[in-house]
Amino acid sequence: MEIRIGDLAKRSGCKVVTIRYYEKEGLLPKPARSGGNFRLYGEAHIERLQFIRHCRSLDMTLSEIRALLGLRDNPMQDCGEVNTLLEAHIQQVEMRVSALLQLKRHLVDLREKCSGSRSVEACGILQGLGNCNCHGESATNSQTSG
Amino acid sequence: MEIRIGDLAKRSGCKVVTIRYYEKEGLLPKPARSGGNFRLYGEAHIERLQFIRHCRSLDMTLSEIRALLGLRDNPMQDCGEVNTLLEAHIQQVEMRVSALLQLKRHLVDLREKCSGSRSVEACGILQGLGNCNCHGESATNSQTSG
DNA sequence: TAAAATCTCTATAGTCACTATAGAGTCAAG
DNA sequence: CTTGACTCTATAGTGACTATAGAGATTTTA
């Protein structure tokens, strides 16, 4: 009990500023304050913060985490939503992986193009980057002209 | 010649605002202006913008692209830097892929934990997210407490 | 007891690569 | 002369933090 923010940071492997940020974002409830206006945390905060950090380590967004915390906070609800959320997240990760693998193929192709001429002017890589065969459809970003 | 920004956008598969943004960031040179203060582009701009978009489609950062453009702009230099930059970028992508694959394994493990009890209270997924075995070392983010 | 070091507080701005908005000006067609 | 499509600048917002400044609280050391 009566843990100060620095100790909570050490216990959770999370920076002090990040803890305050989570509080501002409504993921962590506002803790009690000491006479000198320092935040004082208890066990529940530690556990909640570890939950958040674990979710973040799984690359969930703060709004996904907010949703999970909401489900956790009223445990009467149906468990199905948790599954749905996790399933959606797995699919996102899968899509990112396959996009990145395709990207890597492009890059490796490009690497082969260097003629070894030692002058930028004749570099096949730069030339390869110049003729734009693909058109706006990136691996990880999207941009459509309209 | 005398292409306006909207046409350039269509030709390059890139939004109008993005073109202005690239100009502000110094990737595209400031074009001539019409009597009514509209930007007027030529062939060189089209080609340069396509080069930028191609690099972006390969997920390069704007500062990587800035470096490549700098090399392209004085072609006397050694071609080796282009190779170095591309090699570094490929390694970054490889690291991201393996991080994401590890992440996916965690997520799939977690999915198995649902007891199917239909109540959030007993949901093995939420419990799995609670006990934080891993500590701060995320797949795609980093955060160290100090 | 005083000074120094460490911790904490708030508020604000910066990161990246855009995206969105507001409000005004320009130009071609009907 | 009005409509509509296009363009201009400037500013703020996105996500998940990070960095900074300037002040106050607490602990350690002399």
Side-chain angles (χ1 to χ4, degrees):
Chain A
M1 313 298 157
E2 308 290 282
I3 306 163
R4 295 207 305 213
I5 199 169
D7 295 331
L8 180 58
K10 274 173 206 146
R11 286 223 213 184
S12 57
C14 167
K15 293 188 185 166
V16 166
V17 282
T18 307
I19 296 173
R20 286 197 281 251
Y21 172 71
Y22 288 160
E23 178 182 328
K24 207 178 61 177
E25 292 297 304
L27 298 177
L28 280 177
K30 302 202 174 192
R33 296 286 182 132
S34 73
N37 200 31
F38 286 10
R39 289 171 177 82
L40 296 177
Y41 296 98
E43 291 300 326
H45 292 97
I46 303 178
E47 197 269 330
R48 195 178 182 91
L49 182 54
Q50 283 173 345
F51 182 93
I52 295 171
R53 293 309 297 169
H54 194 180
C55 291
R56 283 294 297 139
S57 81
L58 296 174
D59 213 24
M60 294 181 187
T61 64
L62 293 195
S63 78
E64 284 175 311
I65 298 171
R66 224 187 305 271
L68 282 178
L69 285 170
L71 290 167
R72 225 176 63 131
D73 286 346
N74 27 351
M76 298 316 178
Q77 294 184 8
D78 192 295
C79 169
E81 281 190 55
V82 179
N83 281 280
T84 306
L85 205 149
L86 182 60
E87 194 62 45
H89 187 64
I90 289 177
Q91 280 193 13
Q92 279 174 37
V93 171
E94 276 170 352
M95 279 171 52
R96 288 237 316 254
V97 168
S98 69
L100 280 176
L101 286 177
Q102 197 183 354
L103 170 56
K104 195 190 140 187
R105 276 196 298 278
H106 284 303
L107 288 168
V108 169
D109 280 357
L110 198 57
R111 185 173 50 184
E112 304 306 314
K113 291 205 175 142
C114 181
S115 60
S117 73
R118 326 261 5 114
S119 105
V120 163
E121 205 157 16
C123 181
I125 293 177
L126 282 180
Q127 283 163 20
L129 284 169
N131 33 333
C132 184
N133 38 0
C134 56
H135 197 78
E137 85 295 352
S138 136
T140 49
N141 312 97
S142 67
Q143 173 131 187
T144 346
S145 55
Chain B
M1 313 299 158
E2 307 290 283
I3 306 163
R4 293 209 304 213
I5 198 168
D7 295 331
L8 181 57
K10 272 172 207 148
R11 287 224 212 183
S12 56
C14 168
K15 293 189 186 166
V16 167
V17 283
T18 307
I19 296 173
R20 287 197 281 249
Y21 172 71
Y22 289 159
E23 179 183 328
K24 207 178 61 176
E25 292 298 304
L27 298 177
L28 280 176
K30 302 202 174 194
R33 296 285 183 134
S34 74
N37 200 31
F38 288 7
R39 289 170 176 83
L40 296 177
Y41 296 98
E43 291 299 326
H45 291 98
I46 302 178
E47 197 269 329
R48 194 178 182 91
L49 182 53
Q50 283 172 346
F51 182 92
I52 295 171
R53 292 310 297 169
H54 194 180
C55 290
R56 283 295 296 141
S57 81
L58 297 175
D59 214 23
M60 295 180 186
T61 64
L62 293 195
S63 76
E64 285 176 311
I65 298 170
R66 224 187 306 270
L68 281 178
L69 286 170
L71 290 168
R72 225 176 63 131
D73 286 347
N74 27 350
M76 297 317 177
Q77 295 184 6
D78 193 294
C79 170
E81 280 189 56
V82 179
N83 281 280
T84 306
L85 204 150
L86 182 60
E87 194 61 46
H89 187 64
I90 290 177
Q91 279 194 13
Q92 278 173 38
V93 171
E94 277 170 352
M95 279 172 51
R96 288 235 318 252
V97 168
S98 68
L100 280 176
L101 286 176
Q102 196 182 355
L103 170 56
K104 195 191 142 188
R105 276 197 298 278
H106 284 305
L107 288 168
V108 169
D109 280 357
L110 198 57
R111 185 172 51 183
E112 305 307 315
K113 290 207 175 142
C114 181
S115 60
S117 73
R118 325 258 6 111
S119 104
V120 163
E121 205 159 16
C123 182
I125 293 175
L126 283 180
Q127 284 163 20
L129 285 168
N131 33 334
C132 185
N133 39 358
C134 56
H135 196 78
E137 87 294 351
S138 138
T140 50
N141 313 98
S142 67
Q143 171 133 184
T144 345
S145 56

